Amino acid sequence: MRNTLFVFLFYFFLTSSFAQKTTLVDTSDYKERTLFISDFKKSNEILIKSIKENNSGKVSKSLINTYKNFESEFIEEIKDKNFTFKSGLETYVQDIISDLRKDNPNIPHNIKVLIEKSNYPNAYCLANNTFVVNMGLFNWLDNRDQLMAVISHELGHNILNHVLNSQIKNITENLNESNIVKGLREEKNNRTTKAFDYVKSRIYAEKALRRKHETEADSLGYVLYKRTNKNQFEYINALKNLLDFDTISPNKVSKKIYLNLFDLPHQKFNENWLENDDFTSYNYEGYKQKFDKDSIASHPETIERVSNLKSYFNELEKEQKSLLADSSYNLLRDLTKTEILPNFYYNEKYGLGIYVAMQFFEEDEELENQTFYKDWLGKCFKKIYDARKDYKLNRYLDTVDPKNHSESYQQFLNFMWNLKIEEIKNIADFYNKTP
């Protein structure tokens, strides 16, 4: 739940500058999607051929089945328009990779870039040289150099072949597991405890390997980045932005916004909508964790990653503020800000979409984008109404979690759950009819 919330928290760090023409990404990209799917299949064929040549027996067979199944699922995501091909973001990332390759000839030439319609600030690479960059990354990073730093990190994963190596190790351990299970079945005493100990040790080992891979990718990524003679401190600043992403508190939605948005001509605002449940007596410590969270964390804490880099590369001991972005980066960042609400909608995060729209209303004092916000507010409320009518609201709206939710978000969730179905419909109808 905590990660879900932080998907949107960082946007409010940016909303004071969110005043631009609301021109959305061009989605008439059938030709581009079709071409990409064709290229993706070819690259997967090359990967499968390499797997056959370098692995044998059950490992090879399992890997091939994995990638064939993944190909089908991933192509369906492409067909479902989860990615964009005509935004300009993909060519921008390709240009960064080309710049890195000038000073790092070991970077592959057949890298394909996908831009995902996701607000989460993330990027990842696949074993067939496909790089996926989320739109949210453009919002979260300060400039082109920081984006290059993140891409360098992912190239580190790619060059070190982390994805495929991890899968091979996992498959090998799965194949060996049958002997371990057989041995456990023959145990007469403490069979359950020993089985749990095995599962726990397996999870710890897998997560430890992932943390090791992240540290390796940080170091190699910095070497790739450093060779371009870009500002070296921006590599650390990119990671520090991720640290902010872990800790930033959300701005509040004031009662004034609720009154402004939901006191309608044919449905007056009801103060009872803002009533909060009392969770003060709930014992959140009653559940004892069976796994140590730090031990199974897949990524080292960001502050540890920064510390490691500084210890490996002495020149990073100093600190420097982030550089201002150039006009081309600012244009793309403005574009991705415009996509925030549509992305929440198309990813079926309707509750978050409503809350983010309300945050934008709170911050946009110049009111330049109110029509745009209201449009998406109406769309999301319509989906919330449909879900409430079909008894599926839990899929699209969080339940209150006082331990992990801010007071502002708790207030919002209480408000949403307090609304009656006909009241939700009235709000949806009003904003879907309002010009």
Side-chain angles (χ1 to χ4, degrees):
M1 185 67 68
R2 184 171 180 269
N3 288 337
T4 301
L5 284 178
F6 286 129
V7 170
F8 64 86
L9 299 189
F10 68 96
Y11 298 115
F12 316 129
F13 180 79
L14 301 165
T15 48
S16 60
S17 62
F18 184 65
Q20 72 280 339
K21 294 180 180 179
T22 50
T23 303
L24 298 175
V25 167
D26 183 0
T27 56
S28 59
D29 52 17
Y30 176 79
K31 179 180 177 181
E32 289 79 9
R33 277 186 290 125
T34 302
L35 179 61
F36 190 93
I37 289 172
S38 176
D39 290 341
F40 187 84
K41 289 180 178 179
K42 290 176 183 177
S43 65
N44 234 34
E45 289 175 5
I46 294 171
L47 175 62
I48 288 173
K49 181 179 178 181
S50 174
I51 289 172
K52 289 180 179 178
E53 292 173 351
N54 296 290
N55 299 275
S56 59
K58 294 181 179 179
V59 171
S60 176
K61 183 178 179 180
S62 182
L63 273 174
I64 291 170
N65 287 337
T66 296
Y67 276 101
K68 285 183 176 178
N69 291 334
F70 175 78
E71 177 183 307
S72 299
E73 294 172 3
F74 199 73
I75 287 174
E76 283 304 309
E77 289 190 25
I78 296 174
K79 290 180 178 178
D80 287 343
K81 296 188 176 183
N82 291 330
F83 306 93
T84 178
F85 295 89
K86 297 171 70 174
S87 63
L89 301 171
E90 55 283 335
T91 54
Y92 193 84
V93 173
Q94 283 285 14
D95 286 344
I96 289 177
I97 294 173
S98 297
D99 285 348
L100 283 163
R101 191 182 292 114
K102 292 174 184 176
D103 302 290
N104 299 282
N106 55 331
I107 294 176
H109 284 267
N110 60 337
I111 291 175
K112 300 166 292 299
V113 174
L114 272 178
I115 302 297
E116 186 166 0
K117 296 178 182 179
S118 170
N119 293 328
Y120 191 86
N122 192 29
Y124 58 93
C125 65
L126 305 177
N128 67 351
N129 289 335
T130 299
F131 274 53
V132 180
V133 178
N134 289 358
M135 283 187 176
L137 201 59
F138 284 82
N139 282 319
W140 186 240
L141 300 176
D142 294 322
N143 52 54
R144 186 180 189 273
D145 288 359
Q146 290 183 16
L147 182 58
M148 179 181 279
V150 172
I151 292 170
S152 298
H153 170 91
E154 293 306 321
L155 286 168
H157 281 303
N158 180 267
I159 293 170
L160 295 170
N161 209 18
H162 281 159
V163 175
L164 191 59
N165 288 341
S166 295
Q167 290 170 327
I168 291 173
K169 180 175 174 55
N170 189 53
I171 289 170
T172 301
E173 291 183 353
N174 286 343
L175 292 172
N176 293 334
E177 200 167 83
S178 59
N179 292 328
I180 295 171
V181 171
K182 181 179 179 181
L184 287 171
R185 286 174 178 168
E186 295 174 354
E187 289 283 349
K188 295 182 179 179
N189 300 314
N190 299 323
R191 184 188 304 175
T192 301
T193 300
K194 290 176 181 178
F196 179 78
D197 287 343
Y198 167 72
V199 172
K200 183 169 65 174
S201 65
R202 176 82 184 270
I203 292 175
Y204 283 174
E206 289 176 359
K207 302 301 182 181
L209 179 62
R210 291 186 185 181
R211 295 198 304 273
K212 178 174 180 288
H213 282 174
E214 289 302 316
T215 301
E216 291 174 348
D218 277 340
S219 297
L220 179 54
Y222 175 67
V223 171
L224 299 175
Y225 176 84
K226 182 180 178 180
R227 289 173 182 163
T228 65
N229 290 320
K230 301 294 182 183
N231 187 299
Q232 61 197 24
F233 298 105
E234 293 296 6
Y235 198 90
I236 291 291
N237 288 338
L239 283 175
K240 285 185 175 180
N241 277 340
L242 295 178
L243 179 61
D244 289 339
F245 177 75
D246 288 337
T247 59
I248 190 170
S249 297
N251 293 339
K252 296 179 180 179
V253 173
S254 65
K255 182 179 178 180
K256 176 186 70 175
I257 298 300
Y258 287 93
L259 288 168
N260 288 347
L261 292 176
F262 306 118
D263 187 25
L264 308 180
H266 302 293
Q267 180 172 282
K268 292 302 178 181
F269 189 83
N270 185 344
E271 292 287 344
N272 293 331
W273 292 341
L274 295 180
E275 285 187 359
N276 291 332
D277 293 324
D278 183 11
F279 293 92
T280 55
S281 61
Y282 188 83
N283 179 18
Y284 291 98
E285 305 302 326
Y287 174 72
K288 184 178 180 181
Q289 291 283 356
K290 288 184 176 291
F291 296 112
D292 175 44
K293 288 183 179 179
D294 289 336
S295 298
I296 62 174
S298 61
H299 287 49
E301 290 294 332
T302 306
I303 193 168
E304 179 185 341
R305 294 172 64 185
V306 171
S307 178
N308 286 339
L309 280 167
K310 287 183 175 181
S311 67
Y312 301 150
F313 305 99
N314 293 332
E315 68 270 20
L316 295 176
E317 281 294 337
K318 297 179 182 179
E319 294 191 6
Q320 182 175 305
K321 291 183 179 179
S322 296
L323 301 173
L324 294 176
D326 59 23
S327 58
S328 61
Y329 188 84
N330 280 332
L331 284 173
L332 293 177
R333 185 159 54 183
D334 285 345
L335 174 67
T336 56
K337 288 177 191 176
T338 305
E339 293 291 321
I340 290 172
L341 295 180
N343 284 345
F344 277 128
Y345 181 83
Y346 290 120
N347 286 303
E348 299 185 341
K349 299 182 183 296
Y350 308 122
L352 293 179
I354 292 170
Y355 186 61
V356 169
M358 293 173 68
Q359 285 276 7
F360 284 150
F361 276 105
E362 184 83 47
E363 295 295 322
D364 193 353
E365 296 179 356
E366 298 180 5
L367 309 180
E368 292 189 21
N369 299 291
Q370 282 217 1
T371 300
F372 181 75
Y373 302 152
K374 289 178 179 179
D375 182 35
W376 289 103
L377 194 67
K379 291 177 187 291
C380 288
F381 260 104
K382 175 61 168 62
K383 290 295 185 179
I384 289 292
Y385 167 71
D386 291 341
R388 180 72 174 269
K389 185 174 58 176
D390 295 335
Y391 303 97
K392 297 177 181 178
L393 189 54
N394 276 322
R395 294 186 184 182
Y396 311 111
L397 184 67
D398 293 331
T399 52
V400 179
D401 180 1
K403 190 174 182 180
N404 292 312
H405 294 164
S406 69
E407 289 185 8
S408 176
Y409 191 59
Q410 290 180 57
Q411 178 69 85
F412 166 73
L413 292 175
N414 275 295
F415 165 75
M416 293 296 294
W417 285 105
N418 285 338
L419 289 171
K420 297 177 182 178
I421 187 169
E422 63 270 18
E423 293 168 338
I424 296 174
K425 184 178 186 302
N426 289 337
I427 295 172
D429 288 347
F430 176 79
Y431 281 105
N432 282 311
K433 292 176 183 178
T434 300

